[in-house]
C-alpha cells in the first residue's frame, strides 16, 4: 500500500516554518517526511535555503517520522566522504528512520566552488563512485579509495549508521532509471511514469521501493492559488535539461518568463477540489509508487493540512 508523506521545501520556507510544517504533517496523518537539499532557491521569490543537515538534526528532535532527502547531490558541492558523515549522523539521530535520496544534481546548487559543470554522463559516473565510497564508509571501517573522481585517505566514520541506511537514486529518464536499478536501494522520480518504474524494475530494481513527489496549492480561491504557484514555482514547468544546467536563480527567473499563468493553471493542481487533489496524488499509486510526498505551495499551510487530514488522505486510503 502506498504511503503518503509531506514534502518540506527548503527553498521556500524558513527553518522554523519547516519544523512547524513537520509537526502539522504528523497531526494531519502523513506518515513520512521528505526534504529538499539546496544551496540556492530556484528564484528569489522563494527566498530561502537552510542547510539540510541542520534541518534533519532538528527534525529528529521535533517529530518521530521517517525522513528522506529529495535529493542530495553527493558529488560536487560536498565530497562524498563528508556527505557520508552527515548522512550517517542523520541516520543515528533518526534511529534508523533516515533514507538517503541522491542524484546527479543541478548547476544551481553545485557550481558555487567554480568547478566545471560536468555532462550528465560524467555526473552519473561521479554519482556511482560516490555511492560506492559512501557505502564503504557506512560500515565504520577504515577506508582508503583512489578512484577516477575521488580520493579518500584513511577515513573512518566513528559514528556510523547503527541500522541499514538505504540509498535511493533519483532519475528522470531511462538511463537514470537503469543507474538507479543497478546501484540504488530504491528509485526517486517526480512524475507518475509507469514506464520509468518498469525500466527501474528491469534494471535490477524489482522489489525495491519507488518514491516520488508532487507540489499542489490548496486554497478556497483557485485563481489566487494559481497566482501563488505562478509567482513561486513557475520553474516546475521549465522543459528539458534547463533545471540541471542553469546556474543562478536569476537565470531561472529569466527562463520562467516563458511560463504563462495558463500553463500553471493547466499543469498544477490548485484550489479546493478534493477529487482533483486525490486524483493527482493517487496517480503515483496507480503507476506503482510505494511512497509519494505532497508539498503545499505558499503560506496557507494550516488550511492545507486541515483539508488533507479531513478529506484528501481519507479519500486516498479508501480508494
Amino acid at each position: 500500500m502506498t504511503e503518503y508523506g509531506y514534502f518540506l521545501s527548503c527553498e521556500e520556507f524558513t527553518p522554523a516554518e519547516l519544523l512547524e510544517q513537520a509537526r502539522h504533517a504528523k497531526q494531519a496523518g502523513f506518515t513520512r517526511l521528505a526534504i529538499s537539499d539546496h544551496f540556492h532557491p530556484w528564484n528569489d521569490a522563494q527566498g530561502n535555503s537552510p542547510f539540510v543537515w541542520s534541518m534533519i538534526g532538528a527534525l529528529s528532535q521535533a517529530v518521530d517520522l521517517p525522513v528522506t532527502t529529495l535529493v542530495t547531490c553527493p558529488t560536487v558541492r560536498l565530497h562524498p566522504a563528508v556527505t557520508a558523515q552527515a548522512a550517517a549522523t542523520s541516520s543515528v539521530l533518526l534511529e534508523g528512520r533516515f533514507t538517503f535520496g541522491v542524484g546527479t544534481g543541478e548547476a544551481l546548487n553545485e557550481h558555487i566552488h567554480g568547478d566545471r559543470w560536468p555532462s550528465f554522463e560524467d555526473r552519473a559516473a561521479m554519482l556511482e563512485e560516490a555511492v560506492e565510497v559512501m557505502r564503504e564508509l557506512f560500515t565504520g571501517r577504515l577506508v582508503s579509495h583512489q578512484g577516477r573522481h575521488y580520493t579518500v585517505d584513511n577515513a573512518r566514520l566513528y559514528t556510523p549508521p547503527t541500522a541499514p541506511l538505504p540509498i535511493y537514486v533519483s532519475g528522470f529518464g531511462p538511463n537514470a532509471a537503469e543507474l538507479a536499478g543497478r546501484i540504488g536501494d530504491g528509485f526517486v522520480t517526480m512524475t507518475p511514469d509507469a514506464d520509468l518504474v518498469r525500466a527501474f524494475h528491469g534494471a535490477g530494481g524489482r522489489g525495491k521501493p519507488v518514491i516520488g513527489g508532487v507540489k499542489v496549492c490548496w486554497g478556497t480561491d483557485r485563481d489566487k492559488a494559481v497566482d501563488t504557484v505562478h509567482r513561486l514555482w513557475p520553474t516546475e514547468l521549465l522543459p528539458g535539461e534547463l533545471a540541471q544546467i542553469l546556474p543562478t536563480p536569476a537565470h531561472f527567473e529569466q527562463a520562467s518568463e516563458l511560463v504563462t499563468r495558463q500553463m500553471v493553471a493547466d499543469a498544477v493542481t490548485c484550489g479546493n477540489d478534493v477529487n482533483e487533489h486525490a486524483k493527482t496524488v493517487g496517480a503515483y499509486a496507480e503507476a506503482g509508487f510505494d511512497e509519494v510526498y505532497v508539498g503545499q505551495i505558499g503560506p496557507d499551510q494550516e488550511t492545507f493540512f486541515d483539508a488533507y487530514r479531513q478529506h484528501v488522505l481519507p479519500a486516498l486510503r479508501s480508494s
Side-chain angles (χ1 to χ4, degrees):
M1 180 178 293
T2 303
E3 285 196 66
Y4 300 100
Y6 187 71
F7 198 123
L8 300 166
S9 292
C10 286
E11 306 92 321
E12 190 183 339
F13 300 102
T14 67
E17 288 171 333
L18 294 168
L19 291 176
E20 188 65 17
Q21 289 170 19
R23 297 185 186 100
H24 281 302
K26 181 177 180 181
Q27 293 166 2
F30 290 99
T31 59
R32 313 181 69 90
L33 298 170
I35 187 165
S36 56
D37 179 1
H38 268 236
F39 191 88
H40 292 131
W42 297 100
N43 55 43
D44 283 354
Q46 292 172 358
N48 285 283
S49 60
F51 189 48
V52 70
W53 303 111
S54 299
M55 287 306 312
I56 291 172
L59 288 167
S60 74
Q61 305 304 299
V63 292
D64 61 0
L65 297 178
V67 178
T68 300
T69 52
L70 289 187
V71 292
T72 292
C73 177
T75 59
V76 178
R77 180 171 25 124
L78 292 180
H79 190 282
V82 177
T83 311
Q85 185 184 29
T89 300
S90 297
S91 181
V92 171
L93 282 168
L94 286 159
E95 300 179 334
R97 301 186 307 275
F98 177 62
T99 299
F100 191 19
V102 301
T104 56
E106 305 96 9
L108 174 70
N109 300 303
E110 309 305 325
H111 81 281
I112 58 172
H113 299 303
D115 300 300
R116 178 185 68 87
W117 183 236
S119 67
F120 171 77
E121 290 74 19
D122 285 345
R123 300 199 317 269
M126 293 167 72
L127 181 63
E128 184 167 359
E129 185 176 337
V131 168
E132 177 188 348
V133 167
M134 294 188 295
R135 288 196 195 279
E136 289 188 54
L137 286 164
F138 290 157
T139 67
R141 296 191 294 267
L142 189 68
V143 174
S144 289
H145 172 90
Q146 184 68 55
R148 176 184 171 194
H149 300 288
Y150 302 107
T151 298
V152 179
D153 183 24
N154 293 310
R156 177 184 172 191
L157 295 183
Y158 277 80
T159 305
T162 54
L165 202 175
I167 300 177
Y168 291 7
V169 176
S170 173
F172 303 95
N175 291 338
E178 185 276 331
L179 179 67
R182 186 160 48 82
I183 72 170
D185 300 309
F187 181 39
V188 179
T189 191
M190 292 296 113
T191 57
D193 188 332
D195 290 336
L196 278 184
V197 174
R198 283 190 286 270
F200 169 67
H201 287 163
R206 192 168 304 280
K208 299 177 183 179
V210 177
I211 69 176
V214 62
K215 288 182 173 61
V216 302
C217 191
W218 180 277
T220 55
D221 185 330
R222 187 177 188 277
D223 287 339
K224 183 178 178 181
V226 171
D227 289 339
T228 297
V229 177
H230 190 233
R231 177 173 63 87
L232 292 172
W233 287 92
T235 52
E236 289 285 287
L237 301 182
L238 292 178
E241 296 183 46
L242 286 179
Q244 281 73 54
I245 64 175
L246 295 179
T248 69
H251 288 100
F252 278 92
E253 289 165 4
Q254 293 166 13
S256 294
E257 292 179 5
L258 301 173
V259 178
T260 67
R261 186 184 181 281
Q262 187 60 50
M263 291 167 64
V264 169
D266 292 340
V268 182
T269 299
C270 297
N272 62 350
D273 186 324
V274 171
N275 290 333
E276 185 178 355
H277 280 259
K279 181 179 179 181
T280 295
V281 180
Y284 290 81
E286 293 175 6
F289 283 63
D290 299 279
E291 302 167 20
V292 54
Y293 295 86
V294 186
Q296 164 73 353
I297 294 172
D300 200 0
Q301 295 287 318
E302 289 191 29
T303 302
F304 163 85
F305 285 120
D306 286 343
Y308 268 64
R309 174 178 57 82
Q310 294 176 25
H311 305 295
V312 181
L313 290 176
L316 287 166
R317 288 170 180 147
S318 66
S319 61

